[in-house]
Amino acid sequence: MDEQAYRKKLWSQLIEAHANVMYTYETQQQAATRRLEEYSCISNTQILLAALSSCGFIAIAFGKSYLAAVTTAALSVVSLSLNLYSRGASLPQKATAHRTTADSLWNLRQDYISLLTDFDNLSIAEITKKRDSLQSQVHGQYKEAPRTNDRDYKAAKNKLKEEETQTFERGECDRLLPVALRGRF
């Protein structure tokens, strides 16, 4: 195989590896967000259940005993169940683990972009050496990463493909620079 054909294959491999890291990064972000939303929902529900249980106790005190007692007991059981679930689910800790993984993957994304930027000025040996190093680093991150699920992946796919959250329109990056740095190239 000639050098140009091999460089084309290397380029294609690097583009795909970058895309995989990009998807994993966004999936970890979505997983963290979902865990925090779930935690917030459970916390708010627990507060509501505690308030309703208190109202039931007051109703019992004023003579509406049977229905109020049954309702209060049912609300207490649901509240206890949520307390046990949220304690065991460790949702804030899981969200932190997802964010930590995403933060680590962000740097690897940037390294892939740098390699793609420098691609034409590097020898095949330099490209493959950097590629192998990046693959090893990505593998290390994936081994330590908390697991995500289909729902997290679908949310990430929507963010990347439909909302284009990790892309910029032509000229948008330049407009984010201070005026003195705009339009240099």
Side-chain angles (χ1 to χ4, degrees), residues 85-127:
Y85 170 75
S86 65
R87 181 180 172 129
S90 307
L91 295 172
Q93 294 84 350
K94 287 179 181 178
T96 299
H98 287 294
R99 289 265 189 253
T100 299
T101 298
D103 290 346
S104 297
L105 290 170
W106 183 88
N107 193 50
L108 291 170
R109 284 179 43 216
Q110 298 308 112
D111 288 344
Y112 270 107
I113 290 170
S114 295
L115 179 55
L116 291 166
T117 301
D118 298 340
F119 188 87
D120 291 336
N121 295 324
L122 298 173
S123 69
I124 288 176
E126 291 170 313
I127 295 168

Side-chain angles (χ1 to χ4, degrees), residues 8 11 30 39 59 62 66 68 74 78 84 87-88 99 112 120 125 132 135 145 148 150 162 165 167 185:
K8 186 175 180 180
W11 178 264
Q30 293 303 313
Y39 178 72
F62 288 106
Y66 179 73
V78 173
L84 292 172
R87 181 180 172 129
R99 289 265 189 253
Y112 270 107
D120 291 336
D132 294 345
Q135 283 176 339
T148 57
D150 287 342
E162 305 301 325
T165 57
T167 59
F185 292 102

Side-chain angles (χ1 to χ4, degrees), residues 65-80:
S65 59
Y66 179 73
L67 182 58
V70 170
T71 303
T72 301
L75 292 173
S76 295
V77 167
V78 173
S79 180
L80 176 62

Side-chain angles (χ1 to χ4, degrees), residues 14-176:
L14 292 172
I15 293 291
E16 187 173 324
H18 171 263
N20 285 330
V21 170
M22 184 78 126
Y23 264 86
T24 304
Y25 166 82
E26 189 61 40
T27 301
Q28 291 290 336
Q29 292 281 40
Q30 293 303 313
T33 299
R34 201 160 63 77
R35 300 307 176 285
L36 289 176
E37 287 171 353
E38 186 178 347
Y39 178 72
S40 178
C41 181
I42 288 171
S43 295
N44 290 336
T45 302
Q46 289 171 319
I47 292 168
L48 177 65
L49 289 171
L52 292 173
S53 295
S54 297
C55 291
F57 176 76
I58 292 169
I60 292 169
F62 288 106
K64 306 285 186 197
S65 59
Y66 179 73
L67 182 58
V70 170
T71 303
T72 301
L75 292 173
S76 295
V77 167
V78 173
S79 180
L80 176 62
S81 298
L82 282 176
N83 285 335
L84 292 172
Y85 170 75
S86 65
R87 181 180 172 129
S90 307
L91 295 172
Q93 294 84 350
K94 287 179 181 178
T96 299
H98 287 294
R99 289 265 189 253
T100 299
T101 298
D103 290 346
S104 297
L105 290 170
W106 183 88
N107 193 50
L108 291 170
R109 284 179 43 216
Q110 298 308 112
D111 288 344
Y112 270 107
I113 290 170
S114 295
L115 179 55
L116 291 166
T117 301
D118 298 340
F119 188 87
D120 291 336
N121 295 324
L122 298 173
S123 69
I124 288 176
E126 291 170 313
I127 295 168
T128 56
K129 182 179 179 183
K130 289 182 180 201
R131 176 207 56 199
D132 294 345
S133 174
L134 283 171
Q135 283 176 339
S136 178
Q137 291 175 61
V138 169
H139 175 70
Q141 287 299 315
Y142 285 4
K143 266 181 31 180
E144 299 298 319
R147 295 290 172 221
T148 57
N149 57 39
D150 287 342
R151 190 170 166 193
D152 300 329
Y153 178 77
K154 286 176 185 172
K157 187 174 184 178
N158 181 58
K159 287 283 189 186
L160 292 172
K161 290 182 96 176
E162 305 301 325
E163 297 178 25
E164 297 183 355
T165 57
Q166 299 295 326
T167 59
F168 298 98
E169 294 176 16
R170 184 175 298 284
E172 185 177 357
C173 291
D174 201 47
R175 288 189 303 271
L176 296 173

